[in-house]
Structures are given as C-alpha cells and as structure tokens.
C-alpha cells in the first residue's frame, strides 16, 4: 500500500533533538517537578525506539505531530501511574495542561492512545506493574469526556430555552465562542454542577445521575436568576403544567420535561443546596418566607431560597469561590479540567467523535433511521422523548420542529423504563418462581437468594467503594454512593427474578413438567443471568466506573458465558427497551468478533474438548480460562456479609463440574458419569431447527443445552458432546456475522458475487480448518486478509490500501484491527523474530496468514474450481484437512438487505425496505398506503399487482405541480456500482504471487 504520509525524517533522532524537545516540554511546558521529569525521561527513552520504528502506524499527520502525540502519551502515563508524584501542598498536572503544552487535542489523543498502549505495554509493565492499564483508567476517562460533552450541550440547550444569553455581572469573565455569548449565570450553573460531581457524585458519575444533577441546577437558576433574564412567563408557560393551588409545582414540571424521577430530583436538590451552604457560605431560608420576584407564581412549599445567591453584587465572588474549589479538586485528582466543556467550541476538544458502540447509544444506525424513514417528522408513542430544545421550543416559543434525539434524552427514557416497570416489582422471588425452585430435586430457593446477595453485592458494593480518593470535605458523597449502589442492586435483582421466571415457564412448557433441576442448579447459568441483569442496569445509567465487562469479572464469568443467555434474555423480557436490545446486540457482536477469542475466555475450555487437535496450541498459548471462583471466595474478596443466609450445601467433586458448566482437560475422563435426567431427551440446537414443530420429545431446551457439562455426550447429537454442539452454534454465529461484514465490504469495493462467494468460502474454511489463526485476534483481521488473498488469486487490481480505506467506513472499524495484530512467532520463523508482539496486518498476512492458508487459497483458484466440478459428489464432501465435527461449507446466506433497490429499468425509481417498527409509527392505516414498503400490504390485500396499482393511483392523485420527481440518482452512477469486479481469465492460481509488496498497512 502506498504510504500517504510525509517521509519520516526523524528515524535517527536528529542527533538527540527529540529528547531535547521532550525535556523542554517537561520543564517549561508542563512544569513537572524533578522526580516526575526524571521518570518521564526514563519512559521516553525506553519507548523512543518503538516510536521511530512504528511512526507510520501512529496518527495521520506529520512526523512532528506524531512526536507531540507520543510525548503527550508518555506524560499522561507518568503523571497517572507514578507513586507519590506529589505532596499534599503540591499541584498536580491535568490532562488539559499536557494537551495544551503538547498542542494535541482531546479527540486525537484518545483516538491514538490505544495504539500507544499496545506498543509500549511491556515497558509500562516493567516500570509500573501489571495493573498499569487498570490504574490508567483510560476507557473510563474517555467515556466520561463523551458524557460531559453530551451533558454540556444538553445543559446549554435547556438554559437557552429558559434564559436570555445576555451579559450579566461583568464582561471580563464572559466566554465567547461560535455558539454565542456564555453568560455568567450559565457559567455559574456549570461550575455548581461540577462541584456536585466532585463532592456528591464521587464514585458513580453515571449519565442519568449527572442529568438529574443538571436538572437540579436548572431549578436553582429558575429560583434565583432575575426575572428580566427569562424568556417566558412562569404563570402562562405551557411546559410548567404541573400546578397546585399555590402556583407552579416547579420540581414536578421539570421532572415532566426532562423525564426524571421526582424523588431523585428532590434528593439531588438537597445535595445542591448543601453545597451552596458549605462552599459558598450562603444562608438558606424557606422559600415560602421570601418575597423575591423570582418566586412569583411558584408553589414554594418545601423549596429553599438563598437571598443574595445570584445578585449582581455577589455573583463574581461566588464564581471565584467555585473556581477555587474546583481548582483544588482537579489538583488532587489530576485528570481533566471539566470547566473546558462550558464552551463546547474550545479548540482543545478537537473535531470528530470519541463515541464507541459501548458509549454512544445513538450511533450510525439511529441516524440512518432518522434520515431514511418517511415518518421522521411523526412522533411515535414508543419513540424516545424530545430533547429540552425541541419540547420547550414548541411550548415556550411556538416552534414545533423536532431536534435529533441525544444520548442524554435516550438514557433518561431508558431509565424511566427501569423506574416504572422494574422498580415496582417485589424484591424476592414471586410465588410462581418459588414453585419452580421448590419443584427441583431439592429446594433451591435459599441457594438463589444467597447467590443474588453475593454476586450483586460484588457488582454494586455499598460498603467498600474501592481505593479511590474522595476529594472534598463533604460527608454526603459516601452516602450518595451507597444509596446509588443499593438502588441499582435492587433494580438488577428484580429484573433477574422477572426474566428467570419467564425462562422457567418457557422451559417447563418444552419439557412438559416443572422439574428444572439441571438448569436451576447450574451455578454458571445463574451468574450469567445476574451479570446480564446488572449489565443492563449499568448500561441504562451509562455508568463510567463500571463499564463492560466489569460486571462479568465481578461475577466470575467470561463474555463467552454471557453469550449463552443474551438471546433468551431478549426473548423473555418483552418490555425491554429498544436501546437495551441494541446494547445486548452490540455486546454479542463484540464477544463474537474478539472477546471470546481473548486469552482466558471460557470458549477455549469448550474448544479444547470439541477440537482435540487444537489442545496443544491452546495450552502453548495459555488460553484456557481460570476456574470459576466460588461464592465464598467472591464474598470474602468484596467483604460481603452473608447475614442469616445459609451456606450452599456441600457438593461432591464429581458433580461440581456439571453444576457450574465448567470443564478442564483433567476432568474429561470422569465426565462420562451423567447426573442429568435422560428423560429430557436433549438434542442439538442446530438440528432443532430441522425437527418437526410438534416433535417435543426430541427437542432440546436451548438453555439446558448451553449450560450442560461440555464433556457429556449429547444424546441427540449423533455422538457429539455438548462442547461440540456449543462450538458449532458459536461458529455458526461467527460465520453469519462475517457474512454481513464481507457483503458490506464487497459492496464498498464493488466486487462481483463470485469474489463474494470466494471470500466467504475461504473464511469458513479458515474457521473450521485453521482455527488457530483466530486465537487472540479479531475476526476482521482474518476477513481483511481473506479479501486480499482472494484478490491476488483472482488477479484483481486490489491493494491492501484500498481494502483498509473502505474498511474504515464500516461502523465497527477500529484502527487497532489493522495496526496491531497479535503474533506469537514460532521457532521456525524465517524473519528471526521470537516471542509475542503486535504487528501490522501486512506483516501478519505475509508471515503467518499466507503460509497457513495458501493451500486453501489455491483450491479457490480458477483451475482448482474447474477441477472441483469434475469430482464425484462424495469426493467434494471430503475436504482435505477437515476436522472431525466441523460444519460443512455453506453458500453465502440470504441476509436481510436494508439498501434501496432499483425497481425500474427505464426510470430512477427505488424502493427501500421499511421495518415494522417504522410502520407502526405511521399515524393511521390510510397514511400507510402513501409509501411503497417491501413486504407490507398497503391496502386491503388483494394481490401484488393490485397493491402496486393502488400505490400508483394514490401517488398520481397527489402530484406536486403535476409532476413526480424520482431523479435521485443517475443511471450512470447505478450502473457503475454494479460493475463486475473480476477481469477476464486468470492464470493458474499456483503461479500467483500471494505476498504483499511495497505497501503500508495504513491509508
């Protein structure tokens, strides 16, 4: 691939000039003390050779810009990881100081920091210990910045709908940006919110809690900002609809506008008032006893007022006090200056998005829905609420336009589901669930209650909140943290009981009985259910300090375990909001594409049984998962009191594997002793789809199959073990995910269907016959290499640069995929390298992929394809090297297509498929007939031709100026997009050079 970057002129360090610039940055730019500067210099010198060797894979700017990025990375690591880096009277260094001095923006820093971490990880381990990544808290900080940016925009929109952006209290402190003048009242509100984050939300700064905090700030401003700055009249504002005999119920009205809980808002407002008293030293008084003009037409019962809080005479001093208080807080913590976000246009923030799938809930799919749907101007009853800007514009200003949904409004809507649907449920098993638990071979109810107390207590600790320092002198922070943890724990508990009962009911219908001992006595199953419930609660609140997979780690399970309950969770919880379904879908994609292939995944414990030939490689790389920790071990580690709950009954060693669903190679010989009831007549979930619908006797309950002991033989699996059944199901999911991504990339590269089939066939063969290529890697790395290999064997003029350029357009793309591929060099490596490292994808392709996959590629060549057509049918099925139990190759599957399709050869007429959820949003049955929707009848159904005639007649009756304009895309553009990607006849595949020459992995 041609390198698009400037030539690298710093490979020899310019005679030590790089070190000189770094020393100047430490001393004059950031102002590090002597000890910190010395540690920074050590890390810089240790990593400099990596910078010089891999400069082409860092960033996308000039060598000078890449050098500044590297310097910023080093300084951030040193200031965060160095022990005793500052005394009590010394000031710390914030990330903002480092970035300003290095002339690097926030977006570029976080985009490239993962690459730095991969390259320098071994050095950081030697200098700061193996837990350096956890202490660095990079992912948490990035998520926090994403949330702060969203919150600042949300706050600005709400503020501008309440108050005029007019000058107040002095021009010197005003901040001007592209968004206009930022008043001191606006800045006061943001600083008070930051004080709330520092002192009251010390541990759990989740998005929902912070939004509640912002709403409490708005309440303070509405009570104290002079009336002349309001853009509405309290008495007649339609949005302040909650009223009593004494006037507007301010808190209830705000809760109605912002979809928050009134109890939560009252509690947060109490904390905000306490901050005003403790930090600003203002004297409170009951609002009912005050005569301020700002309180007119407001029901003042149970509200607090501060006489001179926002008077012009005291506003500047209040701002100064809040600034000083925050200065002390960030010097203690030394992360990022959150005052930066008061002006979202600050150049330090940079352009672009920091949001990933796990952080930003409204991603590309959401934006596509808004743009493509004909109902985008119609509000569905199931749609998330409008933002403050849209709702208050409509009521206060009279503008009814709809603003795009924001991450904040989406989070508040999902939290409302937890509050209204889950919270009212009982915090103990229902009578129906208790019946299932007591109907097992022994009563399991006490086991279930004890387990929930321990696992959820570990995920949501209410006593020991970790080693984090809580800045400030307010004691309310620990109390707020404990209340928050207890509330989230109860939500997860109730959700767990609700879904567990639904699953039990479904399983009992399949088995025709209530004895679910084999499932309900399985320890791993319950932990997966508890972790999934907790993860949904954490995802609802967007909890920064407990990001996925934190809940899994505390429950003692892996991502592969969680995958076994995701589908069942979605199926059996009908009220689950769409955003949480998307979250679970994104988690499943993450575990399929990479997490299940990481070291320590329980997938390897099943794979080593299902594919014994891979045992040597799995053991050599040390990939097996550790045994699942016991409940007692978790209880001791997190200091969880057991109370009066009885301990679990003693279990024999022989049955412990069945109970947990775990297995180790040593236990294989003992696992033939089955303790499960054979009358259940288990069968493979893959073959289940082929059985008659009424053949319940041979049907396998999917949950019991997924959590059965891996080494036990599957009675209906033709001799295969449950491990083989599980691996086949897992591999089939990977193949389907790969098919979606292969097709998408083929469309972007404009390749022919023949090339699509070859790439898909090659991927299947690698998964079944060269499975070790996936170990510790991302499936997209195999897909990208498969594209290039097929392009070479098919004699296409396709470069790695072109493949990666188009791969960047895919929503799941991360630069690490093609910049950092894990390799464990074999002793026979021709390049002389040894040990483990991360290399670019072209090095991986040349050194490991091609030597392993070349025989498979040759079989895909034109000559080999012609030879295959002459083979007998039985010969075609015997693929050389096919592992026993591997699924046979299948043609490219029929996937749902959401792209517009041309339906006329002579006109530019396209039809876009429309999901049922969008159809439901249309206002009336008659309005549905205005749209041509694939798979949907537009009239009282008669026939396809009559339906299309009805569409044409209705459209012809509604022409604009007598003409319908369908000229959206020219015919020439469409024709080019369907051109064949292959060129003529190809020479014999055996003569094609499959190596990559003179290319760089990055575009």
């Amino acid at each position: 691939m041609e390198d698009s970057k400037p030539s690298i002129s710093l490979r020899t360090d310019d005679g030590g000039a790089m070190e000189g610039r770094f020393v100047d940055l430490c001393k004059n730019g950031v102002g590090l003390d002597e000890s910190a500067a010395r540690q920074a210099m050590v890390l810089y010198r240790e990593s400099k050779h990596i910078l010089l060797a891999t400069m082409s894979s860092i960033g996308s700017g000039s060598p000078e810009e890449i050098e500044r990025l590297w310097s910023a990375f080093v300084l951030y690591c040193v200031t965060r990881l160095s022990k005793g880096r500052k005394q009590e009277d010394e000031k710390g260094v914030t990330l903002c100081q480092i970035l300003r001095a290095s002339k690097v923006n926030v977006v570029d820093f976080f985009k490239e920091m993962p690459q730095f971490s991969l390259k320098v990880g071994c050095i950081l381990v030697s200098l700061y210990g193996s837990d350096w990544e956890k202490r660095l808290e990079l992912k948490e900080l990035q998520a926090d910045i994403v949330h702060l940016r969203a919150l600042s925009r949300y706050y600005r929109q709400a503020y501008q709908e309440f108050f005029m952006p007019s000058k107040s209290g002095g021009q010197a402190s005003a901040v001007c940006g592209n968004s206009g003048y930022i008043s001191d009242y606006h800045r006061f509100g943001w600083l008070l919110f930051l004080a709330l984050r520092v002192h009251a939300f010390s541990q759990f700064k989740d998005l929902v809690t912070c939004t509640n905090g912002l709403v409490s700030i708005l309440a303070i401003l509405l009570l104290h900002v002079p009336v002349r700055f309001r853009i509405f009249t309290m008495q007649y504002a339609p949005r302040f609809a909650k009223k009593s005999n004494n006037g507007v119920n301010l808190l209830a009205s705000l809760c109605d506008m912002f979809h928050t809980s009134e109890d939560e808002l009252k509690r947060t407002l109490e904390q905000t008032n306490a901050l005003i008293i403790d930090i600003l030293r203002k004297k409170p008084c009951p609002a009912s006893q005050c005569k301020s003009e700002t309180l007119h037409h407001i029901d003042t019962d149970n509200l607090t007022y501060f006489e001179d809080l926002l008077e012009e005479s005291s506003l500047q001093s209040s701002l100064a006090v809040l600034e000083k208080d925050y200065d002390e807080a960030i010097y203690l913590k030394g992360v990022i200056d959150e005052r930066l976000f008061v002006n979202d246009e600050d150049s330090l923030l940079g352009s672009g998005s920091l949001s990933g799938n796990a952080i930003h809930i409204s991603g590309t799919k959401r934006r596509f829905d808004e743009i493509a749907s004909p109902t985008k101007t119609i509000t569905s009853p199931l749609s998330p609420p409008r933002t403050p800007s849209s709702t208050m514009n409509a009521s206060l200003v009279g503008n009814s336009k709809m603003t795009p949904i924001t991450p904040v409004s989406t989070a508040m809507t999902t939290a409302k589901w937890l509050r209204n649907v889950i919270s009212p449920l009982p915090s103990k098993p229902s009578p129906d669930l208790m019946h299932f638990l007591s109907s097992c071979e022994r009563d399991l109810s006490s086991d279930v209650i004890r387990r929930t107390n321990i696992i959820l207590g570990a995920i949501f600790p209410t006593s020991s909140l970790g080693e984090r320092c809580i800045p400030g002198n307010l004691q309310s922070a620990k109390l707020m943290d404990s209340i928050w943890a207890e509330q989230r724990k109860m939500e997860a508990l109730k959700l767990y009981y609700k879904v567990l009962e639904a699953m039990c009911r479904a399983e009992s219908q399949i088995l025709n009985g209530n004895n679910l001992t084999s499932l309900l006595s399985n320890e791993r199953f319950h932990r997966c259910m508890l972790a999934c419930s907790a993860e949904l609660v954490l995802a609802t609140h967007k909890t920064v300090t407990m990001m996925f997979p934190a809940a899994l780690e505390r429950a003692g399970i892996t991502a592969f375990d969680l995958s076994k309950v995701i589908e069942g969770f979605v199926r059996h919880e009908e009220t689950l909001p769409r955003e949480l379904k998307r979250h679970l879908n994104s988690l499943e994609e993450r575990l399929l594409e990479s997490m299940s292939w990481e070291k320590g995944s329980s997938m390897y414990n099943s794979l080593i049984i299902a594919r014994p030939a891979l045992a040597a490689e799995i053991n050599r790389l040390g990939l097996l998962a550790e045994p699942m920790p016991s409940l007692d071990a978790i209880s001791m580690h997190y200091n969880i009191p057991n109370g009066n709950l009885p301990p679990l009954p003693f279990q024999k060693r022989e049955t412990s594997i069945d109970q947990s669903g775990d297995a180790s190679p040593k236990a294989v010989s003992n696992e033939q002793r089955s303790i499960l009831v054979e009358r259940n007549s288990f069968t493979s979930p893959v073959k289940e789809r082929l059985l008659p619908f009424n053949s319940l006797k041979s049907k396998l309950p999917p949950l019991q199959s997924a959590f059965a002991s891996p080494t036990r033989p599957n009675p209906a699996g033709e001799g295969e073990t449950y491990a083989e059944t599980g691996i086949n199901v897992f591999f089939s999911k990977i193949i389907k995910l790969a098919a979606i991504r292969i097709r998408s990339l083929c469309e972007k590269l404009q390749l022919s269907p023949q090339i699509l089939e070859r790439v898909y066939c090659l991927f299947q063969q690698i998964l079944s016959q060269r499975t070790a290529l996936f170990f510790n890697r991302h499936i997209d790395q195999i897909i990208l290499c498969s594209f290039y290999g097929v392009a070479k064997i098919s004699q296409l003029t396709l470069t790695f640069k072109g493949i990666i350029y188009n791969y960047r357009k895919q929503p799941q793309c991360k630069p690490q995929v093609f910049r950092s591929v894990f390799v464990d060099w074999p002793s026979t490596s021709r390049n002389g390298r040894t040990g483990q490292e991360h290399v670019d994808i072209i090095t991986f392709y040349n050194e490991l992929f091609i030597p392993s996959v070349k025989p498979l590629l040759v079989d895909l060549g034109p000559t080999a394809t012609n030879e295959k057509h002459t083979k007998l049918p039985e010969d075609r099925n015997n693929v050389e090297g096919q592992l026993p139990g591997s699924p046979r190759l299948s043609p490219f599957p029929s996937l749902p297509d959401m792209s517009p399709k041309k339906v006329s050869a002579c006109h530019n007429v396209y039809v876009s498929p429309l999901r049922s959820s969008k159809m439901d949003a249309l206002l009336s049955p008659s309005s549905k007939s205005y749209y041509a929707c694939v798979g949907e009848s537009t009239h009282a159904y008669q026939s396809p031709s009559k339906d299309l005639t009805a569409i044409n007649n209705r459209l012809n009756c509604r022409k604009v100026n007598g003409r319908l304009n369908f000229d959206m895309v020219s015919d020439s553009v469409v024709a080019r997009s369907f051109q064949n990607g292959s060129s003529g006849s190809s020479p014999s595949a055996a003569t094609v050079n499959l190596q990559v020459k003179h290319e760089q992995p990055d575009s």
Side-chain angles (χ1 to χ4, degrees), residues 206-253:
D206 64 278
L207 190 60
V208 173
T209 299
C210 288
T211 304
N212 290 335
L214 277 179
V215 177
S216 75
I217 299 299
L218 290 172
I220 294 290
L221 295 177
L222 287 167
L223 291 173
H224 296 87
V225 171
V227 174
R228 65 181 180 275
F229 294 116
R230 291 180 184 171
I231 63 173
F232 66 96
T233 303
M234 182 66 73
Q235 185 179 8
Y236 302 108
R239 292 302 295 173
F240 293 92
K242 304 292 183 179
K243 298 180 180 179
S244 66
N245 295 331
N246 299 325
V248 171
N249 187 328
L250 183 63
L251 300 188
S253 296

Side-chain angles (χ1 to χ4, degrees), residues 398-414:
N399 186 356
S400 60
K401 67 179 181 179
M402 184 175 179
T403 305
I405 295 166
T406 69
V408 178
S409 63
T410 302
M412 297 306 290
T413 306
T414 315

Side-chain angles (χ1 to χ4, degrees), residues 597-601 604 608 614-625 771-777 822-826 835-837 848:
W597 298 103
E598 292 174 358
K599 180 178 180 180
S601 168
Y604 291 109
I608 204 171
L614 297 171
E617 184 68 5
I618 291 174
N619 288 322
R620 185 182 74 85
L621 295 173
L623 299 175
L624 287 174
T771 314
L773 278 177
F774 287 83
F775 294 175
N776 262 332
R777 298 191 180 103
F822 170 83
V823 294
D824 187 302
W825 296 111
Q836 299 178 354
E837 64 172 319
L848 293 179

Side-chain angles (χ1 to χ4, degrees), residues 164-176:
M164 300 176 184
S166 55
K167 300 182 180 181
S168 58
Q171 191 172 354
S173 59
V175 179
C176 291

Side-chain angles (χ1 to χ4, degrees), residues 730-991:
F730 177 69
F731 279 14
S732 68
K733 290 181 179 180
I734 288 179
I735 289 172
K736 184 171 183 180
L737 177 63
I740 294 171
R741 295 183 177 181
I742 288 170
R743 187 184 68 176
S744 174
L745 195 52
C746 264
E747 289 175 351
K748 288 181 172 64
L749 291 167
Q750 298 185 16
L751 299 177
S752 68
Q754 291 79 11
I755 300 300
L756 170 69
E757 286 284 354
R758 288 180 184 178
V759 175
Y760 178 69
C761 178
L762 178 61
F763 183 88
Q764 288 186 87
Q765 288 182 309
I766 295 172
L767 184 61
S768 63
Q769 302 175 44
R770 303 290 190 271
T771 314
L773 278 177
F774 287 83
F775 294 175
N776 262 332
R777 298 191 180 103
H778 195 292
I779 69 167
D780 286 359
Q781 293 166 344
I782 308 301
I783 290 174
L784 294 175
C785 290
S786 298
F787 265 99
Y788 190 77
V790 168
K792 296 286 281 186
I793 208 73
S794 305
Q795 291 293 284
L796 297 181
T797 55
L798 183 63
T799 65
F800 241 122
K801 180 177 182 179
I803 294 171
I804 292 177
Y805 173 79
N806 286 279
Y807 173 70
R808 283 179 174 272
K809 300 175 184 178
Q810 294 198 313
Q812 83 279 2
C813 172
K814 294 179 181 177
Q816 299 95 291
V817 169
F818 49 85
R819 291 179 179 176
S820 300
V821 188
F822 170 83
V823 294
D824 187 302
W825 296 111
S827 57
T828 57
S829 174
R830 60 182 180 177
N831 55 24
R833 298 183 184 179
T834 58
Q836 299 178 354
E837 64 172 319
H838 287 82
V839 299
D840 62 66
I841 196 166
I842 290 180
T843 302
F844 166 71
Y845 175 89
N846 284 333
E847 302 293 338
L848 293 179
F849 183 84
I850 282 301
S852 176
V853 175
K854 189 173 182 180
L856 304 179
L857 271 172
V858 170
D859 286 343
L860 289 175
T863 304
T865 303
N866 294 332
E867 291 175 357
K868 284 180 182 179
H869 287 301
T870 64
K871 289 185 180 181
L872 296 175
E874 58 268 21
D875 294 331
R876 296 175 195 167
N877 292 332
N878 296 327
V879 182
E880 184 180 355
Q882 183 86 6
L883 292 172
S886 298
R888 293 176 179 174
L889 299 181
S890 60
F892 194 86
S894 176
L895 299 173
D897 193 357
M898 291 305 297
S899 58
K901 296 296 181 185
K902 189 169 183 179
V903 294
S904 171
C906 359
H907 301 89
N908 292 326
V909 180
Y910 295 82
V911 177
S912 293
L914 192 63
R915 290 190 298 275
S916 58
S917 60
K918 295 297 180 184
M919 290 298 302
D920 295 338
L922 296 173
L923 289 180
S924 65
S926 61
S927 64
K928 296 181 182 181
S929 61
Y930 300 159
Y931 303 96
C933 309
V934 173
E936 296 285 350
S937 178
T938 58
H939 206 58
Y941 181 77
Q942 301 175 41
S943 69
S945 61
K946 291 182 179 179
D947 269 6
L948 290 174
T949 301
I951 293 173
N952 291 332
N953 291 337
R954 289 174 181 273
L955 288 175
N956 290 334
C957 292
R958 292 167 174 80
K959 291 181 181 179
V960 180
N961 297 327
R963 180 170 175 262
L964 289 174
N965 182 15
F966 289 104
D967 296 325
M968 298 179 291
V969 183
S970 67
D971 283 330
S972 59
V973 172
V974 177
R976 284 198 302 270
S977 69
F978 287 99
Q979 286 176 352
N980 195 321
S982 58
S983 56
S985 60
S986 302
S988 173
T991 65

